Amino acid sequence: RGTMTVGETAKLLHKDASEVIKKLIMLGVMATINQELDIETIQLLAGDFGVEVEVKIPVEDDRFETMEEVDDEANLKTRPPVVTIMGHVDHGKTTLLDAIRSTNVTGGEAGGITQHIGAYQVEINGKKISFLDTPGHEAFTAMRARGAQVTDMTIIVVAADDGVMPQTVEAVNHAKAANLPIIVAVNKIDKPGSDPDRVKQELTEYGLVPEEWGGDTIFVNVSAKQRMGLEDLLEMILLVAEVNDYKANPDKRARGTVIEAELDKGRGPVARILVQHGTLKVGDAFVAGNCFGRVRAMVNDKGRRLKEAGPSTPVEITGLTEVPLAGDPFMVFEDERKARSIADKRAITQRESDMGANTRVTLDDLFKHI
Ligand code: GTP
Ligand code: MG
């Protein structure tokens, strides 16, 4: 909505309507309490009351972006869960990811050159799991800060010889704030002096109580290094996925999130994308952040060329005009012209908001409180 009434404006500015009307008269506007004000007037008013306002006029296409399309239940199909791994420094996140990846290459894919695409997919008994290989908390936090919801559940790795540490607590808090199911992987159980029960004990203080102690948090003892307990862990992930029944509609234009992107000397801008809705196809015109393009080539985490990729599939694509940012929304449009015009509009909005970077309250924020 581009307007608010005098009454609503007053409420948002925490002023009496009479004060707002007085100010309006001073601005040369004779208004009643139910009169609709345009954005410029609201901005002027806000300025007069010492509230800085950044104008974000909702563009038709941007509204499309934020609009949550409701899929018909009948069109939804079960999709693989998307899992992130978090935990304290050196507790074994990378080792665990690598161990899972290397133990679970399916026959046909064995021997394929593993690509670093910021995410990968494993298959267990015909069921897929996508792992986001985010470098620690930063990328995850950055993405969350940008409003990108990419993950379905999180594995918190805690080294059994070290116990709960500051970043463990941070990870628990992140997961809880994002309302994500948590599986605790108690790692390094091969180490002499490791004490898995101590980890459980310590985590109860943060509300993570193991099932055997009457709680509902899944704990799995693993050794990433010795590859112990990995099957149990994967089984638990599939169990959580089954309970939550993650679904998406694969039969529409793709949408997703940029996981990573960079400029490749030979191939130009390259983006790793998690497809979240719909199916991405080679040749599709898309917008990623402020960039647009057309999918020229698409490969999966095993370096295999794909013609299309459905929900929860991580892929690497080329065919962009510029390098987007991690966390940027990715969206396919009917043609390249449309994609380009939306990317251009976004770039302008971005520049405008960069110029007004010192403003604190956005008009969107104000409208949100109605
Ligand atoms: P950062 O990315 O730096 O936060 O660390 P990380 O959590 O990714 O830990 P990483 O996988 O790099 O492991 C840290 C150290 O712990 C390495 O020396 C690993 O070999 C070792 N390590 C990881 N898992 C195990 C395990 O199960 N047992 C033993 N004994 N050592 C492990
Ligand atoms: Mg690491």
Side-chain angles (χ1 to χ4, degrees):
R1 233 176 62 161
T3 63
M4 282 195 283
T5 65
V6 169
E8 287 166 341
T9 309
K11 218 188 222 164
L12 288 168
L13 298 172
H14 300 290
K15 300 286 166 196
D16 278 341
S18 60
E19 279 181 83
V20 171
I21 292 172
K22 244 187 249 163
K23 268 272 187 316
L24 282 169
I25 292 171
M26 276 151 60
L27 294 167
V29 182
M30 302 301 280
T32 62
I33 190 157
N34 291 320
Q35 189 155 332
E36 300 253 328
L37 300 174
D38 59 21
I39 283 174
E40 287 77 46
T41 311
I42 295 168
Q43 209 184 5
L44 271 173
L45 268 175
D48 271 11
F49 284 121
V51 180
E52 288 178 88
V53 170
E54 173 198 333
V55 180
K56 273 194 195 159
I57 300 162
V59 186
E60 181 212 336
D61 300 311
D62 287 349
R63 226 182 290 149
F64 173 85
E65 174 197 339
T66 47
M67 211 169 63
E68 189 56 59
E69 348 113 73
V70 183
D71 280 303
D72 204 326
E73 183 70 28
N75 297 329
L76 297 178
K77 298 208 174 84
T78 299
R79 60 170 178 82
V82 179
V83 181
T84 40
I85 298 194
M86 297 198 285
H88 196 70
V89 172
D90 273 355
H91 279 199
K93 301 176 290 293
T94 304
T95 312
L96 183 61
L97 270 167
D98 288 348
I100 292 170
R101 172 158 32 197
S102 60
T103 44
N104 280 277
V105 251
T106 48
E109 283 164 347
I113 303 155
T114 310
Q115 306 273 306
H116 172 75
I117 72 162
Y120 65 83
Q121 209 169 50
V122 300
E123 196 171 321
I124 305 101
N125 307 326
K127 291 189 177 125
K128 290 173 175 164
I129 304 173
S130 296
F131 286 91
L132 282 191
D133 192 1
T134 51
H137 300 216
E138 275 161 50
F140 184 78
T141 315
M143 276 196 218
R144 277 223 321 132
R146 309 199 58 218
Q149 178 81 46
V150 284
T151 177
D152 297 312
M153 70 178 94
T154 187
I155 296 176
I156 297 181
V157 179
V158 190
D161 62 335
D162 204 21
V164 171
M165 299 302 272
Q167 276 178 277
T168 315
V169 177
E170 214 178 284
V172 173
N173 291 337
H174 277 318
K176 282 188 173 168
N179 217 354
L180 294 175
I182 296 171
I183 295 176
V184 180
V186 182
N187 190 30
K188 306 199 187 184
I189 54 158
D190 61 290
K191 271 193 149 179
S194 72
D195 189 352
D197 274 353
R198 201 188 96 205
V199 174
K200 287 183 184 165
Q201 185 68 57
E202 287 172 347
L203 278 175
T204 57
E205 281 177 43
Y206 300 94
L208 301 185
V209 182
E211 288 174 317
E212 65 265 37
W213 296 356
D216 58 4
T217 304
I218 299 172
F219 281 73
V220 185
N221 290 344
V222 300
S223 163
K225 203 172 186 174
Q226 312 273 335
R227 303 189 172 187
M228 287 156 57
L230 300 184
E231 283 74 18
D232 289 348
L233 180 60
L234 294 170
E235 239 170 66
M236 288 305 156
I237 293 170
L238 288 173
L239 185 75
V240 172
E242 214 174 288
V243 169
N244 288 283
D245 199 13
Y246 304 113
K247 285 181 168 177
N249 176 3
D251 301 312
K252 60 178 186 182
R253 284 191 205 121
R255 284 157 161 257
T257 302
V258 175
I259 305 298
E260 302 177 328
E262 70 199 21
L263 189 61
D264 183 274
K265 269 188 193 137
R267 297 179 297 163
V270 172
R272 286 103 199 200
I273 282 160
L274 177 72
V275 177
Q276 294 171 286
H277 307 273
T279 296
L280 182 63
K281 299 175 180 132
V282 169
D284 276 350
F286 63 84
V287 174
N290 302 336
C291 319
F292 73 98
R294 180 180 283 282
V295 180
R296 195 164 63 217
M298 180 155 69
V299 296
N300 68 6
D301 55 322
K302 282 99 191 168
R304 187 198 284 165
R305 270 180 177 265
L306 302 178
K307 283 208 172 71
E308 46 179 64
S312 298
T313 312
V315 288
E316 182 181 89
I317 60 163
T318 52
L320 293 111
T321 47
E322 283 168 89
V323 181
L325 300 171
D328 270 345
F330 174 93
M331 217 182 325
V332 168
F333 287 92
E334 61 263 39
D335 57 41
E336 200 165 328
R337 220 177 46 128
K338 176 90 174 166
R340 179 200 292 261
S341 95
I342 286 162
D344 287 350
K345 265 186 214 157
R346 285 220 197 137
I348 291 166
T349 313
Q350 167 91 49
R351 269 198 298 280
E352 280 170 355
S353 75
D354 283 352
M355 283 192 295
N358 52 350
T359 54
R360 272 167 309 228
V361 188
T362 70
L363 206 53
D364 273 0
D365 290 335
L366 291 178
F367 279 127
K368 237 180 261 160
H369 297 288
I370 293 181

